[in-house]
Amino acid sequence: MLHRAALSSCVGITARCLLAHVRTTASSNFICFPGTPHQNVRHWSNIPFITMPLMRSHGKPFAHRSELKHAKRIVVKLGSAVVTRGDECGLALGRLASIVEQVSVLQNQGREMMIVTSGAVAFGKQRLRHEILLSQSVRQALHSGQNQLKDMQVPVLEARACAAAGQSGLMALYEAMFTQYSICAAQILVTNLDFHDEQKRRNLNGTLHELLRMNIVPIINTNDAVVPPPEPNSDLQGVNVISIKDNDSLAARLAVEMKADLIIVLSDVEGLFNSPPGSDDAKLIDIFYPGDQQSVTFGTKSRVGMGGMEAKPYKARSSALCSSISTPPFSVKAALWALQGGTSVVIANGTYPKISGHVITDIVEGKKVGTFFSEVKPAGPTVEQQAEMARTGGRNLATLLPEQRAEIIFHLADLLTDHREEILSANKKDLEEAEDKGRLAPPLLKRLSLSTAKLNSLAIGLRQIAASSQDSVGRVLRRTRIAKDLELEQVTVPIGVLLVIFESRPDCLPQVSALAIASGNGLLLKGGKEASNTNQILYRLTQEALSLHGVRDTVQLVNTREEVEDLCRLNKLIDLIIPRGSSQLVRDIEKAAKGIPVMGHSEGICHVYVDSEASVEKVTRIVRDSKCEYPAACNAMETLLIHRDILRTPLFDQIIDMLRVEQVKIHAGPRFASYLTFSPSEVRSLRTEYGDLECCLEVVDGVQDAIEHIHKYGSSHTDAIITENEQIAEYFLQHVDSACVFWNTSTRFSDGYRFGLGAEVGISTARIHARGPVGIEGLLTTKWILRGENHVVSDFSEQGSKKYLHEKLPVPQTSSI
């Protein structure tokens, strides 16, 4: 039953909204949860929305950000700085429109949204200033004439009067914006007395529940026109009492009263910091625990409004407070109070969204935005702490002697052999779980699988890395005598901290670790959950090997619920991202990376061109190996190009028979299909990476036609030619613009181990830095070292006494450090 008293006193619902509600109800357009006739589908204004099964019993708050997507009832608190313009007079209409859009999207997903808003004071200030200026101009025009207007000054406006003038306009604006999404909004004004009077509190609670049931978004604000000053000693007196001093405390009280799952507090601060954001050591606190209050520094109140956040998380422009405050300010008290009452809290910046521009939906999707309040503190370090540990460990690693780094890698190779049974047992468990859940395609299952042969090859590769790493770090590449007693050197140094993200390939972990150790880089590893058991064993063995010389922290395995997209935003902690996995993974990472270079290849569309002068004996062997030896590999052949003169010859028949015996499914290219009366299934795209026993077969006119096809449809990975004509082969090798180009060899040779690099972090198709299989050299950069003797640039000016020599000096063959 709708509470009439509450509606008549505090809620204004227009007739249009009620009619819309009636139409919606008559059309059965409300949410259908599981078990109802229209499961998970909602129709609103004839537009279907797929909704989430948001069933959650209110109790404990969410422990992790990833769980926020299950929040059903959400309170969004908008601070004055979010709603108003920078000049504090008028509303930030664009920002407000974006907020309304996000709230509408969540509402149409089946969630119950409530808004606690500021902005009435600023909106009222704008209206009153306009009225006062207009009134003054009229009076002055009457007394002094139009051409004798004096400079007009607006008197200081009392905040409560501004609030009274702004409330109706603010609500009208919200109503107009929500109407664009066929959503009704209702205004509720409250004061502290409404919560202390039991009858009013019950009325308010009933009204809110009824509005939510009717799919109406309540717009709630403190009635700043009449609100009394807050009582100084009645902040928080346990779970059931909170003084409504500002909209933060109002949001907290409402959230607990209404058993909301989440409060999103938006202001003009990023969240909570461990020190003032303007200071060198300031760091945003990702997750705030009730026991961490002493580590936070706070600032002053908001720039506009009646109360705002009476003492907000520290703002960059507020530099008066520089030490931690033992008693937390009221906004954080309100957040902790709500957390204690079972509601999760996120404090974030609503004025400058950093990720997608949609801070509210980003938070609900579990993205790393602002500060998340949680009662659960993970036992291990955060990913930011892991990245810092990896950087420190990498710097220590780079100072070791080359022999010491090699010794670590040799020891890791021995550990892989010694613990073979333990590794294979963990891998078997991963395979069984993946097969039971049916979440991996056959090619990925094959990549996930380890064997004794794979481990032996892995150990051999690691020993190759150790043997070749002696002069990798600190190698002098160039020496120049700039002037007398002034010598310049260019030397190799580690890149810094690498983030390697890999899917279904646990053997990647020791390979990449060994390359990072050899090149002196810190390393963050993010493996797929399908290989978690195997990864844990391999990581433990890697740390054991690193402990040999006290650099255990150099390699870090990220085991938290950290999303890959969040890792890709750590541009101050990570220097290079290397994805190893599907083409979709690589594309997603390239899209998500914010200011961090990505080295990898999005696809492995490799070609083999069979020339008219190809050897019959070589063709079937090379094509079989390129396609069938390991079809899931990125260097496996995906397109077979055949010279047109080979069609209807015994060689062509042998190729087709071999592919049939190997159970390779052939997809006919457009030209090949045109030659046949009954052709295989025609290829849907010539840019397809099958990753299985499938390939495209296409006909070309000659080597130039083959090169043009490769450039148009290939991925610049690996392409090969089979021919006995050396001139044609050299033309192919010189003109194909791919990372690896082969003559009379299988594309499967495109591999760091087979190239003698020991292993690879991946195969890069980029045009800068490393290209092809990336080993130790690809994980190094350079720095310049200049040694002088009291040299200054002014000595080399036209009037100076010294001249530049720029003489090239011989480069030493051994490491300089």
Side-chain angles (χ1 to χ4, degrees):
M1 177 66 67
L2 193 64
H3 292 71
R4 296 180 180 178
L7 279 176
S8 61
S9 60
C10 8
V11 182
I13 305 177
T14 64
R16 177 183 49 75
C17 284
L18 287 175
L19 286 173
H21 162 63
V22 171
R23 287 196 300 268
T24 302
T25 306
S27 303
S28 300
N29 289 335
F30 278 101
I31 307 164
C32 296
F33 288 106
T36 59
H38 305 286
Q39 183 169 344
N40 291 338
V41 178
R42 172 185 183 183
H43 300 280
W44 192 285
S45 301
N46 299 319
I47 301 175
F49 290 92
I50 302 301
T51 63
M52 301 172 59
L54 300 168
M55 297 294 189
R56 179 177 184 262
S57 58
H58 187 81
K60 291 186 177 180
F62 295 115
H64 305 281
R65 284 184 184 270
S66 59
E67 298 172 354
L68 294 180
K69 61 179 177 287
H70 300 299
K72 182 181 190 321
R73 184 168 291 174
I74 302 172
V75 175
V76 178
K77 184 268 174 182
L78 306 178
S80 300
V82 176
V83 179
T84 61
R85 299 197 311 246
D87 61 5
E88 304 179 13
C89 294
L91 302 179
L93 296 179
R95 194 182 302 141
L96 198 59
S98 175
I99 290 169
V100 169
E101 179 185 18
Q102 295 172 70
V103 171
S104 299
V105 166
L106 296 175
Q107 182 84 0
N108 286 331
Q109 287 178 352
R111 306 178 198 270
E112 297 174 345
M113 304 298 297
M114 294 181 282
I115 295 178
V116 175
T117 183
S118 301
V121 173
F123 197 22
K125 185 186 293 186
Q126 181 188 37
R127 295 180 65 182
L128 292 180
R129 288 184 64 176
H130 177 77
E131 292 297 327
I132 291 172
L133 289 173
L134 182 62
S135 176
Q136 288 181 348
S137 65
V138 170
R139 287 198 302 271
Q140 290 193 19
L142 290 174
H143 290 84
S144 306
Q146 183 66 34
N147 298 324
Q148 299 180 9
L149 291 178
K150 298 179 181 179
D151 293 335
M152 295 178 290
Q153 294 183 349
V154 178
V156 177
L157 300 174
E158 206 275 329
R160 288 178 176 79
C162 293
Q167 286 286 4
S168 59
L170 178 63
M171 187 57 207
L173 184 61
Y174 272 119
E175 190 175 82
M177 287 183 173
F178 274 112
T179 299
Q180 303 304 311
Y181 302 94
S182 299
I183 292 177
C184 293
Q187 183 183 30
I188 297 181
L189 299 178
V190 299
T191 66
N192 203 23
L193 297 177
D194 294 320
F195 290 92
H196 288 286
D197 186 291
E198 185 62 24
Q199 183 60 47
K200 289 184 177 180
R201 191 171 68 84
R202 284 200 300 267
N203 287 348
L204 176 61
N205 188 289
T207 298
L208 288 171
H209 275 93
E210 187 67 11
L211 292 173
L212 294 176
R213 189 189 67 80
M214 293 191 298
N215 211 54
I216 295 172
V217 176
I219 311 291
I220 308 153
N221 195 1
T222 53
N223 191 352
D224 292 335
V226 299
V227 66
E231 299 176 22
N233 296 318
S234 61
D235 284 350
L236 301 170
Q237 306 294 333
V239 173
N240 296 320
V241 179
I242 182 171
S243 175
I244 306 302
K245 301 172 69 173
D246 56 19
N247 279 335
D248 293 314
S249 52
L250 171 59
R253 181 65 182 262
L254 281 173
V256 174
E257 289 273 346
M258 296 297 295
K259 294 182 171 58
D261 301 313
L262 172 65
I263 305 178
I264 299 175
V265 180
L266 299 182
S267 65
D268 56 350
V269 293
E270 300 295 331
L272 274 62
F273 288 82
N274 63 347
S275 60
S279 64
D280 294 336
D281 298 326
K283 293 178 182 177
L284 177 68
I285 298 174
D286 172 38
I287 303 177
F288 184 75
Y289 309 96
D292 288 347
Q293 299 176 33
Q294 69 280 0
S295 65
V296 183
T297 305
F298 301 96
T300 57
K301 60 182 287 186
S302 178
R303 57 176 165 81
V304 289
M306 288 289 291
M309 298 171 77
E310 291 197 0
K312 286 182 176 293
Y314 209 105
K315 299 181 184 179
R317 63 175 177 273
S318 302
S319 58
L321 301 177
C322 299
S323 59
S324 297
I325 299 176
S326 58
T327 302
F330 199 81
S331 60
V332 177
K333 275 189 177 182
L336 293 173
W337 187 86
L339 188 70
Q340 183 183 1
T343 300
S344 297
V345 183
V346 175
I347 295 178
N349 191 332
T351 62
Y352 180 60
K354 286 189 172 181
I355 299 179
S356 67
H358 301 102
V359 62
I360 299 173
T361 52
D362 281 345
I363 289 171
V364 174
E365 289 171 8
K367 295 180 181 178
K368 210 167 186 178
V369 181
T371 299
F372 171 62
F373 286 66
S374 175
E375 292 182 329
V376 179
K377 188 170 186 176
T382 65
V383 68
E384 290 85 359
Q385 291 170 333
Q386 284 187 292
E388 291 172 351
M389 291 162 65
R391 186 175 297 281
T392 301
R395 287 170 177 164
N396 293 333
L397 180 70
T399 63
L400 295 179
L401 294 174
E403 295 80 8
Q404 293 175 308
R405 289 192 294 271
E407 190 178 357
I408 293 172
I409 302 171
F410 278 126
H411 186 40
L412 178 57
D414 293 338
L415 289 172
L416 293 179
T417 303
D418 296 341
H419 294 265
R420 181 188 300 114
E421 296 305 321
E422 187 180 0
I423 296 169
L424 293 178
S425 176
N427 185 246
K428 181 181 179 181
K429 186 177 180 181
D430 285 329
L431 285 169
E432 290 173 350
E433 290 179 358
E435 289 172 350
D436 290 342
K437 295 178 180 178
R439 64 187 184 193
L440 288 183
L444 292 180
L445 274 175
K446 192 169 182 180
R447 290 182 181 182
L448 175 60
S449 176
L450 291 180
S451 63
T452 300
K454 270 190 178 182
L455 288 177
N456 289 337
S457 296
L458 189 57
I460 293 171
L462 264 57
R463 293 186 178 98
Q464 286 182 350
I465 294 172
S468 63
S469 66
Q470 298 294 323
D471 62 346
S472 57
V473 180
R475 178 162 48 91
V476 179
L477 302 178
R478 180 184 305 178
R479 292 180 66 220
T480 305
R481 180 176 287 117
I482 304 297
K484 184 181 178 182
D485 297 326
L486 185 62
E487 292 188 4
L488 178 68
E489 287 183 348
Q490 184 184 19
V491 300
T492 58
V493 294
I495 288 176
V497 176
L498 314 176
L499 168 61
V500 178
I501 303 167
F502 56 99
E503 292 178 323
S504 305
R505 294 192 63 172
D507 55 329
C508 176
L509 194 153
Q511 284 180 340
V512 174
S513 297
L515 289 169
I517 294 166
S519 57
N521 284 289
L523 179 62
L524 280 178
L525 291 161
K526 176 67 173 175
K529 58 184 177 181
E530 65 278 354
S532 59
N533 294 296
T534 315
N535 287 340
Q536 283 295 336
I537 297 293
L538 295 173
Y539 176 58
R540 177 170 58 80
L541 297 178
T542 302
Q543 286 208 307
E544 184 177 338
L546 287 164
S547 300
L548 192 65
H549 290 290
V551 286
R552 180 185 180 90
D553 292 339
T554 300
V555 177
Q556 297 286 324
L557 180 64
V558 179
N559 284 321
T560 64
R561 295 172 179 244
E562 214 74 31
E563 296 292 337
V564 169
E565 188 174 345
D566 292 328
L567 292 172
C568 291
R569 287 195 292 270
L570 300 177
N571 59 321
K572 294 183 180 179
L573 299 172
I574 296 169
D575 301 299
L576 179 66
I577 301 175
I578 304 173
R580 294 195 63 176
S582 66
S583 57
Q584 187 60 50
L585 171 71
V586 178
R587 285 193 294 267
D588 290 344
I589 290 173
E590 288 175 338
K591 182 179 179 180
K594 304 296 182 182
I596 309 175
V598 178
M599 183 168 66
H601 65 279
S602 58
E603 293 173 307
I605 305 174
C606 303
H607 297 75
V608 174
Y609 165 56
V610 181
D611 187 54
S612 60
E613 299 184 46
S615 164
V616 176
E617 292 76 17
K618 293 176 183 177
V619 169
T620 53
R621 276 175 50 83
I622 293 173
V623 172
R624 179 190 290 110
D625 190 80
S626 295
K627 178 72 257 185
C628 308
E629 198 270 339
Y630 187 16
C634 64
N635 56 13
M637 181 195 77
E638 303 294 4
T639 298
L640 177 62
L641 300 176
I642 302 289
H643 193 288
R644 65 178 181 181
D645 292 346
I646 296 177
L647 291 175
R648 300 185 179 90
T649 66
L651 174 57
F652 178 77
D653 293 339
Q654 289 182 35
I655 295 172
I656 298 300
D657 289 342
M658 181 273 296
L659 293 174
R660 184 181 296 113
V661 169
E662 297 292 340
Q663 298 182 342
V664 177
K665 183 178 181 180
I666 298 174
H667 301 275
R671 289 193 62 185
F672 178 49
S674 68
Y675 284 95
L676 305 174
T677 305
F678 299 101
S679 68
S681 62
E682 190 165 341
V683 68
R684 286 183 292 178
S685 171
L686 291 169
R687 292 191 180 96
T688 302
E689 182 180 13
Y690 298 100
D692 205 348
L693 286 173
E694 299 180 62
C695 74
C696 169
L697 196 156
E698 182 61 309
V699 176
V700 293
D701 293 331
V703 65
Q704 185 59 43
D705 196 16
I707 291 170
E708 291 175 1
H709 179 102
I710 290 169
H711 287 167
K712 185 174 183 179
Y713 300 110
S715 61
S716 301
H717 192 293
T718 302
D719 301 289
I721 182 174
I722 307 175
T723 184
E724 296 303 301
N725 188 316
E726 184 176 355
Q727 184 177 357
I728 290 177
E730 288 299 327
Y731 185 86
F732 184 90
L733 296 176
Q734 297 301 320
H735 286 79
V736 171
D737 186 19
S738 295
C740 301
V741 189
F742 299 162
W743 174 24
N744 284 347
T745 64
S746 166
T747 58
R748 293 278 292 120
F749 278 102
S750 180
D751 176 81
Y753 172 74
R754 299 183 180 102
F755 277 14
L757 305 178
E760 66 189 28
V761 293
I763 295 180
S764 172
T765 57
R767 305 283 172 177
I768 58 174
H769 189 50
R771 199 170 184 216
V774 180
I776 299 173
E777 295 294 326
L779 301 180
L780 297 171
T781 183
T782 64
K783 72 176 180 182
W784 298 90
I785 297 175
L786 185 61
R787 297 180 176 92
E789 186 64 41
N790 197 28
H791 288 83
V792 292
V793 171
S794 58
D795 289 342
F796 294 86
S797 63
E798 291 184 4
Q799 295 78 26
S801 58
K802 296 181 180 180
K803 301 295 182 183
Y804 289 110
L805 300 177
H806 294 149
E807 296 177 1
K808 289 186 178 180
L809 300 175
V811 175
Q813 298 302 311
T814 58
S815 175
S816 66
I817 60 174

